[in-house]
Amino acid sequence: MKLSFTITNPKLLPTNNLNWCFSLINKRHSWHATTLCSSINPNIDIESYSQEIDGLPIGVFRLLTYLVELDVDTASPPDLNFRGGHEENDIVSGSLSERWFTVERERWRKENYINDTNPPPAKTHKRVSALFLSLHLQNDPKLAMMLADLAITNGEEVTVMMGNSAHLSLANNAIYSSYRLGRSHNTMMFGLDDGVCSSGGYMMLDASSTVSTVPCYALPKANLGLLCGSKCGENVDVWSKGFADVAVIKPAVILAVVELGYDVLWMDTDIVLLSDPGGFWESGSGGNDNFDIFIQAGGQHLSRLLSLEKSFQDELCTGFYFIRANIKTAMFLRATIVELSLHDSEEEKTFGDQSAFNLVLFEWRFRYSDELNVSVLSPLLFPGGSVFFEYHDLAYGGNKLPAAVIVHNNFLIGREKKIERFKRRGMWFAEREERNFFGVLEGGGGGEGAGFKVLSMSVCIFRESQGSCEPLSSEDYMAPYLTQPVLLYQPEKEKEMEKEKEKEKEKEKEKEKAHQNHAIVTFSVGSDRIWFEKFVFPRMRKYANKIAADLIVVRRIVECEVFMEKEEEKGSEGGDNIDFHDCVKKKKLSIIGQVGIHYEQTLYLDDSVLIRGNSESVFDRVPAGSLGATVERLPVRSFEHNRAYSRMSLLGYGVETNDNLSQYFNSGVVVLNANHAIHILQHLPYYLNEPVLKRDQGYLNVLAYISNWNITDLGFSWNYLGSFMNQFAEEFLEKTNGLVGAPVEANFVHVTTGLMGGVDIRMHVIEEIEKKWE
């Protein structure tokens, strides 16, 4: 074969230091491209280049032609990447051209059983038995019923996992990471040996008799015996003998679920979810319906590729992908199984489902007429083990710091090594969140304490040198761990009501109704918030129970912790970390908005707000269409001072007005509705993190003005400010003579705003109020 290239008018090229390259690949024979380059003579009118290529194997080829600029010092083209081509950023913009062709197409189709109703013979290709396994699953009424039960509450999407007893602990860790985010309990486990599924059809929590609530289907031994034999129950690692025999079962299981009409999210057992990934493929969102498969990028080997996301799209990782149920995807999965059955020789023991998946996808345009649309998930949002663990600082450092959605603990071979790596990063939840781990998976709703689910993407992440990530110990079992980010506490039934359950049915109904509509959200982020655990949280928790509201507690915002690390690196001591708190302020508004859109009314409280035990529901004081907050009038500040703050905030956001502006409110206690939350999120890109504008307080006041929100003044009884207590600060420390009435009569006491002094004074004030309230 002869390949010829022609460039007209090389003189018009942007630079003289150019090479013209072509890159050819046939993935059936090699995963590496053959790339050749030739220099261009800029002094002639037409430049032609030819290359003879003999002995091309049959099959599908992709040909790329492009220009690359030579290195100034060496006069040579840039280095090739690990797949034998050039990186996209090395290619001259606009010069890339892609062509596809086949060599001996009909012979290629016949030899590889492409679009053939007759699969390879099982006698010589034992893995084709996976097709029969899939057909068996499709016709098993037990599996159909189990999937139908999941669909009743979770729709037509199923999270599918598969494993043996050797990987049971990893599988449970992955499932718990999903449940702790509040995701639907839609996971279906497929067991490869006797130790995975109970006789009742549920997944085992461990090697003992503890059973979870996760539905578990035991794959039939007769079919497994034909495929993986004894290897089905062994700890078989990737690239080892027997791995591919187990891997072929994976597309067979997914094919069965897809043929039964369910969209599938496949997760390997060595994955942890940090936030809900569903929005990336949710129907009706951002053109998602145009794609058949959403899949994790593969090839995450080298640190120098981290910023070149296109480099990852040439190889995809089948450890995590979402696949829609349709005719095209069913054909694709069948083709993957057939491809695996053609590579079952001893020499091809490493040719697993991922290799087959990528090969079939590469050849798809010549296999079938229907286009298969694949969306490759960002390798920074959906990183593999190399990117996230080995090159974490390089990938996520500085100001870019995107929040990973999942972590795939691959590029590390060995179950124990994977578990140890998870432990070092605070992602081994059976230890880190032990008291909730078993309770959640067993269906108990959260172990010893009040049930909660973690809503944040953030988990504890430390460098190797910083050691393990340990939860903050607490004498009060209800206190939230510092290492747990965002927790949702749902109202508990009081003991007296439990005893009189029948008599209190109507009251319970009212509580349920209120619970659906009301939430409290608070942030206690940073290591210096020592008052929250001991004093504020227990009162907040009791109050949430009393008024039947969800309580959402934000303990960490990992995206902001890079600023804490920078502060430590500088060796600074004392004072506030301004960059860290600025970051938290903006993220706080985002989370308040995200929470608020799901409730009729949401109460935001600073983490220094003490709640008096007999306080009634503040929601009753704020009409549904109003924003409830305390207007900062005298004695906090004068009318003129109040108006000046309002005008300054508005001018900061470019809003000019001659209005009276007398409604400037404190943002430490705010009752908002879903409409307010939507506005908060919509305008957040314009947020100014300026101290002189009072940061989030200024933002909310400006938003209230431009949106014409009706303000319900809660008065100082619902936000008794710290500035009222300044006259007593010195006496607290010198004489410890307590407060003189007013704060202890308030419903909410805000022990920060305006209170002079540091943490010692604040703690002393809180302790004195606690004594009075006792």
Side-chain angles (χ1 to χ4, degrees):
M1 175 178 287
K2 184 177 181 179
L3 298 176
S4 298
F5 310 94
T6 301
I7 297 180
T8 304
N9 292 327
K11 299 175 182 179
L12 301 180
L13 293 172
T15 176
N16 294 335
N17 300 317
L18 291 176
N19 264 22
W20 190 12
C21 302
F22 78 86
S23 184
L24 192 64
I25 187 170
N26 177 334
K27 288 190 176 180
R28 183 166 291 277
H29 294 274
S30 175
W31 296 102
H32 296 264
T34 297
T35 300
L36 299 174
C37 298
S38 176
S39 60
I40 298 173
N41 186 346
N43 300 315
I44 58 177
D45 293 330
I46 297 177
E47 173 78 3
S48 295
Y49 173 69
S50 297
Q51 177 70 40
E52 292 281 352
I53 300 179
D54 296 323
L56 282 180
I58 67 171
V60 177
F61 287 84
R62 183 190 65 199
L63 174 66
L64 301 178
T65 60
Y66 51 84
L67 300 175
V68 294
E69 189 169 356
L70 301 177
D71 184 270
V72 176
D73 297 326
T74 64
S76 61
D79 294 335
L80 300 177
N81 65 27
F82 72 104
R83 287 303 186 200
H86 285 104
E87 295 300 341
E88 187 176 9
N89 68 329
D90 292 329
I91 296 173
V92 175
S93 177
S95 71
L96 180 66
S97 178
E98 181 180 84
R99 298 287 187 274
W100 293 78
F101 62 90
T102 57
V103 174
E104 295 191 53
R105 182 174 182 178
E106 291 308 314
R107 179 184 161 199
W108 161 72
R109 292 179 66 86
K110 183 177 180 180
E111 290 185 2
N112 295 286
Y113 296 87
I114 293 171
N115 205 22
D116 196 333
T117 55
N118 296 316
K123 184 176 181 180
T124 55
H125 300 84
K126 69 171 185 177
R127 290 184 194 153
V128 81
S129 300
L131 287 175
F132 307 126
L133 168 62
S134 185
L135 188 61
H136 172 85
L137 298 180
Q138 293 170 43
N139 291 285
D140 187 347
K142 178 182 177 182
L143 177 60
M145 186 176 296
M146 294 172 77
L147 291 170
D149 287 343
L150 282 178
I152 290 173
T153 54
N154 303 295
E156 302 300 310
E157 176 186 328
V158 179
T159 299
V160 174
M161 298 180 70
M162 183 179 77
N164 57 27
S165 52
H167 288 82
L168 199 56
S169 58
L170 281 166
N172 279 306
N173 193 64
I175 294 170
Y176 177 78
S177 76
S178 174
Y179 288 3
R180 72 196 289 273
L181 298 171
R183 296 188 79 237
S184 297
H185 292 202
N186 69 340
T187 301
M188 169 70 75
M189 185 68 178
F190 287 82
L192 288 167
D193 65 4
D194 292 336
V196 180
C197 303
S198 71
S199 58
Y202 293 97
M203 182 178 169
M204 305 300 293
L205 270 176
D206 48 42
S208 68
S209 58
T210 311
V211 180
S212 75
T213 57
V214 179
C216 190
Y217 181 92
L219 292 166
K221 293 181 180 180
N223 296 86
L224 294 180
L226 295 172
L227 291 165
C228 51
S230 63
K231 294 291 183 182
C232 291
E234 297 178 10
N235 182 21
V236 180
D237 290 318
V238 65
W239 296 346
S240 65
K241 184 177 180 180
F243 169 74
D245 292 333
V246 177
V248 72
I249 303 170
K250 173 173 156 183
V253 167
I254 299 172
L255 173 61
V257 180
V258 165
E259 287 280 30
L260 288 169
Y262 299 91
D263 298 338
V264 171
L265 170 62
W266 171 271
M267 282 193 358
D268 278 358
T269 58
D270 59 347
I271 284 175
V272 160
L273 300 188
L274 307 184
S275 67
D276 190 344
F280 287 85
W281 50 75
E282 183 179 6
S283 295
S285 175
N288 285 347
D289 292 336
N290 297 325
F291 292 98
D292 302 294
I293 300 173
F294 296 79
I295 188 167
Q296 184 183 18
Q300 302 182 37
H301 300 75
L302 303 179
S303 60
R304 70 185 181 91
L305 300 179
L306 290 175
S307 62
L308 312 173
E309 294 194 12
K310 290 290 185 182
S311 304
F312 297 103
Q313 296 194 14
D314 206 33
E315 180 183 337
L316 307 178
C317 176
T318 57
F320 184 91
Y321 65 95
F322 176 84
I323 184 166
R324 298 199 191 281
N326 58 44
I327 295 175
K328 291 184 294 182
T329 55
M331 292 168 61
F332 176 81
L333 290 165
R334 281 196 206 94
T336 301
I337 296 170
V338 170
E339 197 59 55
L340 271 161
S341 71
L342 298 175
H343 295 78
D344 59 1
S345 67
E346 178 63 27
E347 293 74 23
E348 296 179 295
K349 64 183 180 182
T350 62
F351 192 93
D353 65 290
Q354 181 164 306
S355 299
F357 184 105
N358 279 279
L359 178 53
V360 173
L361 187 62
F362 179 82
E363 297 178 343
W364 185 261
R365 69 188 61 222
F366 295 105
R367 283 174 171 265
Y368 305 101
S369 57
D370 292 334
E371 185 176 2
L372 189 71
N373 296 310
V374 179
S375 175
V376 183
L377 300 166
S378 164
L380 293 178
L381 295 176
F382 294 82
S386 179
V387 169
F388 190 85
F389 293 114
E390 304 304 324
Y391 300 107
H392 188 276
D393 290 349
L394 180 62
Y396 298 93
N399 294 323
K400 46 187 181 179
L401 202 68
V405 177
I406 73 162
V407 176
H408 189 177
N409 196 355
N410 57 358
F411 289 92
L412 181 68
I413 297 177
R415 176 190 58 191
E416 297 307 321
K417 292 179 181 178
K418 291 175 183 282
I419 292 174
E420 183 57 34
R421 185 195 254 177
F422 274 146
K423 287 181 178 180
R424 289 198 303 269
R425 298 314 196 278
M427 298 179 186
W428 193 246
F429 300 112
E431 290 186 2
R432 180 175 161 234
E433 298 176 10
E434 180 180 2
R435 62 189 176 187
N436 291 288
F437 181 84
F438 291 99
V440 168
L441 291 181
E442 289 181 66
E448 290 180 88
F452 70 82
K453 53 185 177 182
V454 181
L455 306 177
S456 169
M457 62 189 65
S458 306
V459 295
C460 185
I461 301 167
F462 284 98
R463 296 191 186 94
E464 290 284 347
S465 59
Q466 292 175 306
S468 301
C469 178
E470 297 296 335
L472 183 73
S473 61
S474 173
E475 294 178 1
D476 184 349
Y477 72 87
M478 288 176 62
Y481 289 153
L482 181 63
T483 52
Q484 294 170 333
V486 180
L487 303 107
L488 169 61
Y489 292 84
Q490 296 185 329
E492 291 181 311
K493 297 174 182 177
E494 297 177 13
K495 292 181 179 179
E496 293 78 11
M497 293 175 60
E498 190 69 24
K499 294 175 182 177
E500 301 179 7
K501 188 173 181 180
E502 293 302 321
K503 297 179 181 179
E504 298 289 342
K505 277 186 177 180
E506 291 303 317
K507 188 180 287 189
E508 285 296 306
K509 288 180 181 179
E510 289 300 317
K511 280 204 165 193
E512 274 184 37
K513 183 179 178 181
H515 165 229
Q516 293 170 359
N517 297 326
H518 292 153
I520 302 171
V521 59
T522 188
F523 290 69
S524 188
V525 178
S527 58
D528 57 344
R529 325 298 283 183
I530 58 176
W531 58 85
F532 182 76
E533 294 274 348
K534 186 174 181 180
F535 298 109
V536 175
F537 173 77
R539 289 185 171 276
M540 205 174 282
R541 178 72 179 112
K542 290 175 183 177
Y543 183 66
N545 274 339
K546 178 179 178 180
I547 65 173
D550 285 353
L551 171 59
I552 296 162
V553 181
V554 181
R555 294 311 317 268
R556 299 185 66 211
I557 300 177
V558 170
E559 295 92 322
C560 302
E561 291 180 5
V562 62
F563 300 111
M564 294 179 69
E565 293 174 2
K566 287 180 178 178
E567 198 75 8
E568 292 170 2
E569 290 168 6
K570 293 177 186 177
S572 61
E573 297 180 3
D576 287 336
N577 184 333
I578 301 301
D579 290 336
F580 171 73
H581 289 294
D582 281 352
C583 177
V584 170
K585 290 282 187 183
K586 183 173 184 179
K587 189 66 178 178
K588 178 176 85 172
L589 288 167
S590 173
I591 297 177
I592 290 172
Q594 292 175 56
V595 171
I597 60 177
H598 296 291
Y599 294 90
E600 183 178 315
Q601 288 180 300
T602 299
L603 167 63
Y604 167 73
L605 294 173
D606 277 358
D607 74 339
S608 54
V609 174
L610 282 172
I611 301 176
R612 187 158 55 95
N614 59 351
S615 299
E616 296 301 321
S617 175
V618 69
F619 295 115
D620 294 339
R621 306 185 66 84
V622 182
S626 292
L627 182 105
T630 295
V631 176
E632 292 187 343
R633 59 189 184 279
L634 286 171
V636 175
R637 57 175 57 95
S638 66
F639 172 81
E640 291 75 16
H641 197 176
N642 196 335
R643 184 169 57 181
Y645 259 115
S646 298
R647 193 173 301 282
M648 180 173 60
S649 297
L650 288 166
L651 289 174
Y653 282 88
V655 180
E656 295 187 13
T657 180
N658 293 318
D659 290 350
N660 214 7
L661 303 175
S662 60
Q663 293 284 297
Y664 190 85
F665 57 84
N666 184 277
S667 63
V669 177
V670 177
V671 177
L672 55 95
N673 61 34
N675 184 56
H676 300 139
I678 292 171
H679 279 76
I680 289 172
L681 294 174
Q682 286 177 336
H683 292 84
L684 197 57
Y686 306 104
Y687 170 73
L688 298 175
N689 216 350
E690 295 289 341
V692 70
L693 301 180
K694 297 289 187 180
R695 295 188 177 88
D696 56 313
Q697 182 162 301
Y699 172 80
L700 291 174
N701 274 275
V702 170
L703 201 53
Y705 176 80
I706 64 174
S707 303
N708 198 30
W709 289 346
N710 181 49
I711 307 297
T712 295
D713 186 3
L714 295 174
F716 292 121
S717 174
W718 293 94
N719 190 356
Y720 190 93
L721 301 177
S723 55
F724 297 151
M725 295 174 273
N726 280 331
Q727 59 182 305
F728 308 114
E730 290 185 10
E731 295 179 25
F732 278 145
L733 293 179
E734 293 176 5
K735 304 177 182 178
T736 318
N737 67 342
L739 297 171
V740 289
V744 297
E745 299 302 322
N747 292 293
F748 297 172
V749 179
H750 192 173
V751 196
T752 45
T753 299
L755 180 64
M756 303 298 183
V759 173
D760 290 341
I761 292 179
R762 184 175 303 161
M763 287 294 290
H764 202 95
V765 169
I766 292 173
E767 288 171 356
E768 290 300 315
I769 294 173
E770 283 280 327
K771 290 178 184 178
K772 295 288 186 181
W773 276 345
E774 287 177 359

